[in-house]
Coordinates of all heavy atoms in Angstrom, one line a residue:
K228 N -3.1 20.9 11.3 CA -2.7 20.1 12.5 C -1.8 20.9 13.4 O -2.1 21.0 14.6 CB -2.0 18.8 12.1 CG -2.2 17.6 13.0 CD -3.6 17.2 13.1 CE -3.8 15.9 13.9 NZ -5.2 15.6 14.2
T229 N -0.8 21.5 12.9 CA 0.1 22.2 13.7 C -0.4 23.6 14.1 O -0.1 24.1 15.2 CB 1.5 22.4 13.0 OG1 1.3 22.7 11.6 CG2 2.3 21.1 13.0
A230 N -1.2 24.2 13.3 CA -1.9 25.5 13.6 C -2.8 25.3 14.8 O -2.8 26.1 15.8 CB -2.6 26.1 12.5
G231 N -3.5 24.1 14.8 CA -4.4 23.8 16.0 C -3.6 23.6 17.2 O -4.1 24.0 18.3
L232 N -2.4 23.0 17.1 CA -1.6 22.8 18.3 C -1.1 24.0 19.0 O -0.8 24.0 20.2 CB -0.4 21.9 18.0 CG -0.7 20.4 17.6 CD1 0.6 19.8 17.0 CD2 -1.1 19.7 18.9
S233 N -1.1 25.2 18.3 CA -0.7 26.4 18.8 C -1.6 26.8 20.0 O -1.2 27.7 20.9 CB -0.7 27.5 17.8 OG -2.0 27.8 17.4
E234 N -2.8 26.3 20.1 CA -3.7 26.6 21.2 C -3.1 26.2 22.6 O -3.5 26.7 23.6 CB -5.0 25.9 21.0 CG -6.1 26.3 22.0 CD -7.5 25.7 21.6 OE1 -7.6 25.1 20.5 OE2 -8.4 26.0 22.4
N235 N -2.1 25.3 22.6 CA -1.4 24.9 23.8 C -0.7 26.1 24.5 O -0.4 26.1 25.7 CB -0.4 23.8 23.6 CG -1.1 22.5 23.5 OD1 -1.6 21.9 24.4 ND2 -1.2 22.0 22.3
L236 N -0.5 27.2 23.8 CA 0.1 28.4 24.4 C -0.9 29.0 25.4 O -0.4 29.7 26.3 CB 0.4 29.4 23.3 CG 1.3 30.6 23.8 CD1 2.6 30.2 24.3 CD2 1.5 31.6 22.6
L237 N -2.2 28.7 25.3 CA -3.1 29.2 26.2 C -3.1 28.4 27.5 O -3.7 28.8 28.5 CB -4.6 29.1 25.6 CG -4.8 29.9 24.4 CD1 -6.1 29.6 23.8 CD2 -4.7 31.4 24.7
N238 N -2.4 27.2 27.5 CA -2.3 26.3 28.7 C -1.0 26.6 29.3 O 0.1 26.2 28.7 CB -2.5 24.9 28.3 CG -2.5 23.9 29.5 OD1 -1.9 24.2 30.5 ND2 -3.1 22.8 29.3
V239 N -0.9 27.1 30.5 CA 0.4 27.5 31.1 C 1.2 26.2 31.3 O 2.5 26.4 31.4 CB 0.1 28.2 32.5 CG1 1.4 28.6 33.2 CG2 -0.7 29.5 32.2
Q240 N 0.7 25.1 31.4 CA 1.4 23.8 31.6 C 2.2 23.4 30.3 O 3.2 22.7 30.4 CB 0.5 22.7 32.0 CG -0.1 22.9 33.4 CD 0.9 23.1 34.5 OE1 1.9 22.4 34.6 NE2 0.7 24.2 35.3
H241 N 1.7 23.9 29.1 CA 2.4 23.5 27.9 C 3.1 24.7 27.2 O 4.2 24.6 26.8 CB 1.3 22.9 26.9 CG 0.8 21.6 27.4 ND1 1.5 20.4 27.4 CD2 -0.5 21.3 27.9 CE1 0.7 19.5 27.9 NE2 -0.5 20.0 28.2
C242 N 2.4 25.7 27.1 CA 2.9 27.0 26.4 C 3.6 26.7 25.1 O 3.0 26.1 24.2 CB 3.8 27.7 27.4 SG 2.8 28.5 28.7
V243 N 4.8 27.2 25.0 CA 5.5 27.2 23.7 C 5.8 25.8 23.1 O 6.2 25.7 22.0 CB 6.8 28.1 23.8 CG1 7.9 27.3 24.5 CG2 7.2 28.6 22.5
L244 N 5.7 24.8 23.9 CA 6.2 23.5 23.4 C 5.5 23.0 22.2 O 6.0 22.0 21.6 CB 6.0 22.5 24.6 CG 6.9 22.8 25.8 CD1 6.7 21.7 26.8 CD2 8.3 22.9 25.4
N245 N 4.4 23.5 21.8 CA 3.7 23.0 20.6 C 3.6 24.1 19.5 O 2.7 24.0 18.6 CB 2.3 22.5 20.9 CG 2.4 21.0 21.4 OD1 3.2 20.3 20.9 ND2 1.5 20.7 22.3
C246 N 4.5 25.1 19.5 CA 4.5 26.1 18.5 C 5.3 25.7 17.3 O 6.3 26.3 16.9 CB 5.0 27.4 19.1 SG 4.0 28.1 20.3
A247 N 4.8 24.7 16.6 CA 5.6 24.1 15.4 C 5.1 24.8 14.1 O 5.7 24.5 13.1 CB 5.4 22.6 15.4
Y248 N 4.1 25.6 14.1 CA 3.5 26.1 12.9 C 4.5 26.8 12.0 O 4.5 26.6 10.8 CB 2.3 27.0 13.2 CG 1.6 27.6 12.0 CD1 0.7 26.8 11.2 CD2 1.9 28.9 11.6 CE1 0.1 27.3 10.1 CE2 1.3 29.4 10.5 CZ 0.4 28.6 9.7 OH -0.2 29.2 8.6
P249 N 5.3 27.7 12.5 CA 6.3 28.4 11.6 C 7.2 27.5 10.9 O 7.5 27.6 9.7 CB 7.0 29.3 12.6 CG 6.2 29.5 13.8 CD 5.5 28.2 13.9
A250 N 7.7 26.4 11.6 CA 8.6 25.5 11.0 C 7.9 24.6 9.9 O 8.4 24.4 8.8 CB 9.2 24.5 12.1
V251 N 6.7 24.2 10.2 CA 5.9 23.4 9.3 C 5.6 24.2 8.0 O 5.7 23.7 6.9 CB 4.7 22.8 9.9 CG1 3.7 22.2 8.9 CG2 5.1 21.8 11.0
K252 N 5.2 25.5 8.2 CA 4.8 26.3 7.1 C 6.0 26.5 6.2 O 5.9 26.4 4.9 CB 4.4 27.7 7.6 CG 4.0 28.7 6.6 CD 3.6 30.0 7.2 CE 3.4 31.1 6.1 NZ 3.1 32.4 6.7
N253 N 7.2 26.7 6.7 CA 8.4 26.8 5.9 C 8.8 25.6 5.2 O 9.1 25.5 4.0 CB 9.5 27.3 6.8 CG 10.7 27.8 6.0 OD1 10.6 28.4 4.9 ND2 11.9 27.5 6.5
L254 N 8.7 24.4 5.9 CA 9.0 23.1 5.3 C 8.1 22.8 4.2 O 8.5 22.3 3.1 CB 9.0 22.0 6.4 CG 10.2 21.9 7.3 CD1 9.8 21.1 8.5 CD2 11.3 21.2 6.5
V255 N 6.8 23.0 4.4 CA 5.8 22.7 3.4 C 6.1 23.5 2.1 O 6.0 22.9 1.0 CB 4.4 23.0 3.9 CG1 3.3 23.0 2.8 CG2 4.0 21.9 4.9
G256 N 6.4 24.7 2.3 CA 6.6 25.6 1.1 C 7.9 25.1 0.4 O 7.9 25.1 -0.9
Q257 N 8.9 24.7 1.1 CA 10.1 24.3 0.4 C 10.0 23.0 -0.3 O 10.4 22.8 -1.4 CB 11.3 24.2 1.4 CG 11.7 25.5 2.0 CD 13.0 25.5 2.8 OE1 13.9 24.8 2.4 NE2 13.0 26.2 3.9
I258 N 9.3 22.0 0.3 CA 9.1 20.7 -0.3 C 8.1 20.9 -1.5 O 8.4 20.2 -2.6 CB 8.5 19.7 0.7 CG1 9.5 19.5 1.8 CG2 8.1 18.4 0.0 CD1 9.0 18.7 3.0
K259 N 7.1 21.7 -1.4 CA 6.2 21.9 -2.5 C 6.8 22.6 -3.7 O 6.6 22.2 -4.8 CB 5.0 22.7 -1.9 CG 3.8 22.8 -2.9 CD 2.7 23.6 -2.3 CE 1.5 23.8 -3.2 NZ 0.4 24.6 -2.6
N260 N 7.7 23.5 -3.4 CA 8.3 24.3 -4.5 C 9.6 23.7 -5.1 O 9.8 23.9 -6.3 CB 8.7 25.7 -4.0 CG 7.4 26.5 -3.6 OD1 6.4 26.4 -4.2 ND2 7.6 27.4 -2.6
H261 N 10.3 22.9 -4.3 CA 11.6 22.4 -4.7 C 11.6 20.9 -4.9 O 12.6 20.3 -5.3 CB 12.7 22.8 -3.8 CG 12.8 24.3 -3.7 ND1 13.2 25.1 -4.7 CD2 12.6 25.2 -2.6 CE1 13.2 26.4 -4.3 NE2 12.8 26.4 -3.1
G262 N 10.6 20.2 -4.5 CA 10.5 18.7 -4.6 C 11.1 18.0 -3.5 O 11.5 18.6 -2.5
A263 N 11.0 16.7 -3.6 CA 11.4 15.8 -2.5 C 12.8 15.2 -2.6 O 13.3 14.5 -1.6 CB 10.4 14.6 -2.3
A264 N 13.5 15.4 -3.7 CA 14.7 14.7 -4.0 C 15.8 14.9 -2.9 O 16.5 13.9 -2.6 CB 15.3 15.1 -5.3
A265 N 15.8 16.1 -2.3 CA 16.9 16.4 -1.3 C 16.7 15.5 0.0 O 17.7 15.4 0.7 CB 16.8 17.8 -0.9
Y266 N 15.6 14.9 0.2 CA 15.3 14.1 1.4 C 15.3 12.6 1.2 O 15.0 11.9 2.1 CB 14.0 14.6 2.0 CG 13.8 16.0 2.0 CD1 13.1 16.7 1.0 CD2 14.4 16.8 3.1 CE1 12.9 18.1 1.0 CE2 14.2 18.2 3.1 CZ 13.5 18.8 2.1 OH 13.3 20.2 2.1
L267 N 15.7 12.2 0.0 CA 15.6 10.8 -0.4 C 17.0 10.2 -0.5 O 18.0 10.8 -0.8 CB 14.9 10.6 -1.7 CG 13.5 11.2 -1.8 CD1 12.9 11.0 -3.2 CD2 12.6 10.7 -0.7
D268 N 17.1 8.8 -0.3 CA 18.3 8.1 -0.5 C 18.4 7.7 -2.0 O 17.4 7.9 -2.7 CB 18.4 6.9 0.4 CG 17.4 5.8 0.2 OD1 16.8 5.8 -0.9 OD2 17.2 5.0 1.1
P269 N 19.5 7.1 -2.4 CA 19.6 6.7 -3.9 C 18.5 5.8 -4.4 O 18.2 5.7 -5.6 CB 21.0 6.1 -3.9 CG 21.7 6.7 -2.8 CD 20.7 6.9 -1.7
Q270 N 17.9 5.0 -3.5 CA 16.8 4.1 -3.9 C 15.4 4.7 -3.9 O 14.4 4.1 -4.2 CB 16.8 2.9 -2.9 CG 18.0 1.9 -3.1 CD 19.3 2.5 -2.6 OE1 19.3 3.0 -1.5 NE2 20.3 2.3 -3.4
G271 N 15.4 6.0 -3.5 CA 14.1 6.7 -3.5 C 13.3 6.6 -2.2 O 12.2 7.1 -2.1
W272 N 13.9 6.0 -1.2 CA 13.3 6.0 0.2 C 13.7 7.2 0.9 O 14.7 7.9 0.6 CB 13.7 4.8 0.9 CG 13.2 3.5 0.4 CD1 13.7 2.8 -0.7 CD2 12.0 2.7 0.8 NE1 13.0 1.6 -0.9 CE2 11.9 1.6 -0.1 CE3 11.0 2.9 1.7 CZ2 10.9 0.6 0.0 CZ3 10.0 2.0 1.9 CH2 10.0 0.9 1.0
V273 N 12.9 7.6 1.9 CA 13.2 8.8 2.8 C 14.5 8.5 3.5 O 14.7 7.4 4.1 CB 12.1 9.0 3.8 CG1 12.6 10.0 4.8 CG2 10.9 9.6 3.1
D274 N 15.4 9.4 3.4 CA 16.7 9.4 4.1 C 16.4 10.0 5.5 O 16.3 11.2 5.6 CB 17.8 10.1 3.4 CG 19.2 10.0 4.1 OD1 19.2 10.1 5.3 OD2 20.1 9.8 3.3
W275 N 16.3 9.2 6.5 CA 15.8 9.6 7.8 C 16.8 10.6 8.5 O 16.4 11.5 9.2 CB 15.5 8.5 8.7 CG 14.3 7.7 8.3 CD1 14.2 6.6 7.6 CD2 12.9 8.1 8.6 NE1 12.9 6.2 7.3 CE2 12.1 7.1 8.0 CE3 12.3 9.1 9.3 CZ2 10.7 7.1 8.0 CZ3 11.0 9.2 9.4 CH2 10.2 8.2 8.7
K276 N 18.1 10.4 8.3 CA 19.1 11.2 8.9 C 19.1 12.6 8.3 O 19.2 13.6 8.9 CB 20.5 10.6 8.8 CG 21.6 11.4 9.6 CD 21.2 11.4 11.1 CE 22.4 11.9 12.0 NZ 22.7 13.3 11.7
K277 N 19.0 12.7 6.9 CA 18.9 13.9 6.3 C 17.7 14.7 6.7 O 17.7 15.9 7.0 CB 18.8 13.7 4.7 CG 20.1 13.4 4.1 CD 19.9 13.3 2.6 CE 21.2 12.8 1.8 NZ 20.9 12.7 0.4
L278 N 16.5 14.0 6.8 CA 15.3 14.7 7.2 C 15.3 15.1 8.6 O 14.8 16.1 9.0 CB 14.1 13.7 6.9 CG 12.7 14.4 7.0 CD1 12.6 15.6 6.1 CD2 11.6 13.3 6.7
Y279 N 16.0 14.2 9.5 CA 16.1 14.6 10.9 C 17.0 15.9 11.0 O 16.6 16.8 11.7 CB 16.8 13.4 11.6 CG 17.2 13.8 13.1 CD1 16.3 13.6 14.1 CD2 18.5 14.4 13.3 CE1 16.6 14.0 15.4 CE2 18.8 14.7 14.6 CZ 17.9 14.5 15.7 OH 18.2 14.9 16.9
D280 N 18.1 15.9 10.4 CA 19.0 17.1 10.5 C 18.3 18.4 10.0 O 18.4 19.4 10.6 CB 20.3 16.9 9.7 CG 21.2 15.8 10.3 OD1 21.0 15.6 11.5 OD2 22.0 15.3 9.6
Y281 N 17.6 18.2 8.9 CA 16.9 19.4 8.3 C 15.8 19.9 9.1 O 15.6 21.1 9.3 CB 16.4 19.1 6.9 CG 16.1 20.3 6.1 CD1 17.0 21.1 5.6 CD2 14.7 20.6 5.8 CE1 16.7 22.3 4.9 CE2 14.4 21.8 5.1 CZ 15.4 22.6 4.7 OH 15.1 23.8 4.0
T282 N 15.0 19.0 9.7 CA 13.8 19.4 10.5 C 14.3 20.0 11.8 O 13.7 20.9 12.4 CB 12.8 18.3 10.7 OG1 13.5 17.1 11.2 CG2 12.1 17.9 9.4
L283 N 15.4 19.4 12.4 CA 16.0 20.0 13.6 C 16.4 21.4 13.4 O 16.3 22.3 14.2 CB 17.1 19.1 14.2 CG 17.7 19.6 15.5 CD1 16.7 19.7 16.6 CD2 18.9 18.7 15.9
S284 N 17.1 21.6 12.2 CA 17.5 23.0 11.8 C 16.3 23.9 11.7 O 16.4 25.1 12.2 CB 18.3 22.9 10.5 OG 18.6 24.2 10.1
E285 N 15.2 23.4 11.2 CA 14.0 24.3 11.0 C 13.5 24.6 12.4 O 12.9 25.7 12.6 CB 13.0 23.6 10.2 CG 13.3 23.6 8.7 CD 13.4 25.0 8.1 OE1 12.6 25.9 8.5 OE2 14.3 25.3 7.3
A286 N 13.5 23.6 13.3 CA 13.0 23.9 14.7 C 13.8 25.0 15.4 O 13.3 25.9 16.0 CB 13.1 22.6 15.5
K287 N 15.1 25.0 15.1 CA 16.0 26.0 15.7 C 15.8 27.4 15.0 O 15.9 28.4 15.6 CB 17.5 25.6 15.6 CG 17.8 24.4 16.5 CD 19.3 24.0 16.3 CE 19.6 22.8 17.2 NZ 21.0 22.4 17.0
N288 N 15.5 27.3 13.7 CA 15.3 28.5 13.0 C 14.1 29.3 13.3 O 13.8 30.4 12.7 CB 15.4 28.2 11.4 CG 16.8 27.9 11.0 OD1 17.8 28.3 11.7 ND2 16.9 27.3 9.8
I289 N 13.2 28.7 14.1 CA 12.0 29.5 14.5 C 12.5 30.8 15.3 O 11.8 31.8 15.3 CB 11.1 28.6 15.5 CG1 10.4 27.6 14.7 CG2 10.1 29.5 16.1 CD1 9.5 26.7 15.5
D290 N 13.7 30.6 15.8 CA 14.4 31.8 16.4 C 13.7 32.4 17.6 O 13.6 33.6 17.7 CB 14.5 32.9 15.3 CG 15.6 33.9 15.6 OD1 16.6 33.5 16.3 OD2 15.5 35.1 15.1
Y291 N 13.3 31.5 18.5 CA 12.9 32.0 19.8 C 14.2 32.0 20.7 O 14.9 31.0 20.7 CB 11.9 31.1 20.5 CG 10.6 31.0 19.7 CD1 9.7 30.0 20.0 CD2 10.2 32.0 18.8 CE1 8.5 29.9 19.3 CE2 9.0 31.9 18.1 CZ 8.1 30.8 18.3 OH 7.0 30.8 17.7
S292 N 14.5 33.0 21.4 CA 15.7 33.0 22.3 C 15.5 32.1 23.4 O 14.4 31.7 23.8 CB 15.9 34.4 22.8 OG 14.9 34.7 23.8

Side-chain angles (χ1 to χ4, degrees):
K228 208 67 176 168
T229 43
L232 288 168
S233 66
E234 189 169 356
N235 280 287
L236 191 58
L237 299 171
N238 183 335
V239 179
Q240 296 303 312
H241 294 288
C242 285
V243 76
L244 297 181
N245 277 323
C246 292
Y248 180 78
V251 171
K252 180 183 175 184
N253 193 35
L254 279 164
V255 165
Q257 293 193 39
I258 296 168
K259 189 177 177 182
N260 294 329
H261 301 293
Y266 314 98
L267 306 177
D268 66 17
Q270 287 72 46
W272 293 83
V273 167
D274 186 315
W275 290 98
K276 188 60 168 65
K277 284 182 183 177
L278 192 54
Y279 172 87
D280 290 339
Y281 194 72
T282 51
L283 180 60
S284 176
E285 286 298 319
K287 293 178 179 180
N288 285 343
I289 290 179
D290 200 27
Y291 299 162
S292 72

